[in-house]
């Protein structure tokens, strides 16, 4: 007779949220396993750099026992921020202090690797795409694309924007924000384009004007990652006809959106290599809540996808993980833990989603640089 596979707790998705949750629960001996769609850690590029906030991402890393390791891969100098308009006129210039650790940057891939490497063998099951879940005698039966199924007492959806766990709790699905990003990049910028590297600096650089933006950030490997932000209707990128499969033409098509921008700014597009990635920016309804279920909940983007304009998504995912873990560890009754976790989650997520929506509107506006600089001054005064 073959043993049926059962776990006390199954986490769907090995993003920063799911990995943090698994790591903390592992440290307390909980039978928690992650099922991840990707076949291995390297199948997808993990994107750019994130800043880890003290009360959110950094707090979660502390709970996970990974604070010292995190400090070794973090880049405090990346905390700088420059904001300019389309003429290159500066509105904000903040240099990242090497000794400050309130919001250090870290490459997402390095952070994800740190969390993956902190898990015991067998905790993370690659190549398992959840297709659907049904009630079972011992909680839930989870079905995967391979045809395999397992049972789990508690299921946590950490499976991002298009979560397959979310429908158990709410019919809500992501909505388009009206903004699309085209991600481009400049490899080894210091050597290949020193003037561009100097302009961007070690932190974040934002050129904002005329309902558009060029958002650049220096990553740990020397690549400058640039998000070209454009306001356009849903599916506007397909309709735009930008020929992403022909990089030289795609570059020219992007430049056509910025004909009256200063040459030092459009150099960010001229200098980019041949990798283009279209990223329509979506969000879940602000203030989304659901009726609690005793053995299922969501963390991270699955619960509160929002635009990146509050720089909060990854931080919230890790914060959710730390809070849910602490509630689960405090009581043998998952229903009680989930109720306590969700009460705080809904408030936290609503505040961040409102901020993200506000920031999107002010950044991608006719005078985005001026408005964001004013907002930064208000943030600074509030600290
Ligand atoms: C352009 C951009 C810039 C950003 N910048 C920042 C920033 O500076 N700071 C910040 O805090 N946040 C930022 N964010 C937001 C941040 O990236 C996300 O909020 C964060 O990654 C969410 O983590 P997560 O673990 O909830 O989900 P994800 O990272 O999306 O992970 C979900 C995982 O679930 C897996 N999965 C999905 N479906 C299934 C399935 N059916 N079965 C099994 N596995 C599945 C996926 O493969 C994935 O590994 C940015 C986002 C974007 C788009």
């Amino acid at each position: 007779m073959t043993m049926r596979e059962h776990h006390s707790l199954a986490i769907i998705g090995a993003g920063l949220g799911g990995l943090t949750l698994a790591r903390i629960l592992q440290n307390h001996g909980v039978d928690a396993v992650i099922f991840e769609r990707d076949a291995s850690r390297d199948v997808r590029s993990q994107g750019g750099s994130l800043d880890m906030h003290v009360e959110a991402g950094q707090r979660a890393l502390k709970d996970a026992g990974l604070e010292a390791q995190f400090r070794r891969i973090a880049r405090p100098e990346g905390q700088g921020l420059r904001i300019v308009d389309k003429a290159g006129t500066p509105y904000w210039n903040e240099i990242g202090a090497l000794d400050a650790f309130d919001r250090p940057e870290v490459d997402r891939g390095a952070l994800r690797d740190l969390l993956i490497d902190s898990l015991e063998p067998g905790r993370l099951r690659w190549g398992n795409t959840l297709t659907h879940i049904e009630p079972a005698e011992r909680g839930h039966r989870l079905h995967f694309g391979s045809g395999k199924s397992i049972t789990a007492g508690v299921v946590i959806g950490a499976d991002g924007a298009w979560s397959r766990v979310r429908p158990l709790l709410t019919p809500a699905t992501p909505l388009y924000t009206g903004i699309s990003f085209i991600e481009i990049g400049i490899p080894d910028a210091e050597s290949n384009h020193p003037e561009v590297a100097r302009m961007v600096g070690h932190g974040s650089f934002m050129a904002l004007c005329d309902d558009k933006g060029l958002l650049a950030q220096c990553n740990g490997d020397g690549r400058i990652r640039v998000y070209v932000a454009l306001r356009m209707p849903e599916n506007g990128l397909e309709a735009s006809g930008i020929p992403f499969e022909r990089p030289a033409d795609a570059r020219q098509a992007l430049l056509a959106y910025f004909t009256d921008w200063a040459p030092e700014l459009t150099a960010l597009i001229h200098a980019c290599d041949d990798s283009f990635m279209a990223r329509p920016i979506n969000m879940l309804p602000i203030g989304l809540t659901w009726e609690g279920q005793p053995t299922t909940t969501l963390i991270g983007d699955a619960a509160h996808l929002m635009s990146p304009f509050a720089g909060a998504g990854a931080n919230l995912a890790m914060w959710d993980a730390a809070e849910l873990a602490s509630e689960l560890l405090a009581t043998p009754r998952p229903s009680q833990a989930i109720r306590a976790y969700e009460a705080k989650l809904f408030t936290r997520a609503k505040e961040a989603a409102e901020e993200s929506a506000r920031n999107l509107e002010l950044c991608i506006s006719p005078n985005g640089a001026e408005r964001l600089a004013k907002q930064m001054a208000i943030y600074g005064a509030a600290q």
Side-chain angles (χ1 to χ4, degrees), residues 12-19 35-38 44 46 49-53 105 108 112 126 128-131 144 158-164 181 183 217 227 279 281 299-302 304-308 310-317:
I12 309 302
L16 295 175
L19 289 165
F35 295 90
E36 163 59 42
R37 174 181 61 189
D38 287 348
R44 268 185 310 130
Q46 289 303 309
S49 178
L50 302 163
D51 58 340
M52 288 282 100
H53 309 173
E105 289 285 328
R108 182 199 298 264
R112 188 168 184 250
W126 297 104
N128 284 285
T129 304
L130 179 79
T131 54
F144 297 97
D159 48 344
W162 303 99
S163 171
R164 289 287 174 95
F181 282 5
E183 182 181 331
Q217 207 174 26
Y227 298 118
R279 291 184 184 275
I281 304 297
I299 63 174
D301 280 4
H304 44 61
L305 177 71
M306 60 189 74
S307 86
N315 277 280
L316 284 176

Side-chain angles (χ1 to χ4, degrees), residues 7-64:
H7 298 282
S8 306
L9 188 143
I11 301 166
I12 309 302
L16 295 175
L19 289 165
T20 305
L21 178 62
R23 162 70 184 187
I24 300 175
L25 294 178
Q26 164 188 293
N27 288 358
H28 291 82
V30 177
D31 168 29
V33 172
I34 309 185
F35 295 90
E36 163 59 42
R37 174 181 61 189
D38 287 348
S40 75
R41 71 167 86 192
D42 303 316
V43 292
R44 268 185 310 130
S45 146
Q46 289 303 309
S49 178
L50 302 163
D51 58 340
M52 288 282 100
H53 309 173
V54 173
E55 74 291 355
Q58 289 193 54
R59 172 249 160 121
L61 287 159
K62 202 175 199 172
D63 287 9

Side-chain angles (χ1 to χ4, degrees), residues 39-113:
S40 75
R41 71 167 86 192
D42 303 316
V43 292
R44 268 185 310 130
S45 146
Q46 289 303 309
S49 178
L50 302 163
D51 58 340
M52 288 282 100
H53 309 173
V54 173
E55 74 291 355
Q58 289 193 54
R59 172 249 160 121
L61 287 159
K62 202 175 199 172
D63 287 9
L66 295 170
E67 200 184 13
Q69 292 92 319
F70 166 69
R71 282 185 172 248
R72 284 201 282 277
I73 56 169
R75 287 180 286 107
E77 71 279 14
Q79 293 171 108
L81 172 66
R82 290 178 184 170
I83 304 171
V84 304
D85 66 8
K86 69 176 177 183
T89 309
Y91 281 80
W92 190 264
N93 190 6
E94 193 178 340
I95 311 284
L98 272 173
D99 55 348
F101 235 81
D102 38 341
R103 290 188 171 218
E105 289 285 328
V106 64
D107 283 6
R108 182 199 298 264
L111 181 59
R112 188 168 184 250
D113 280 345

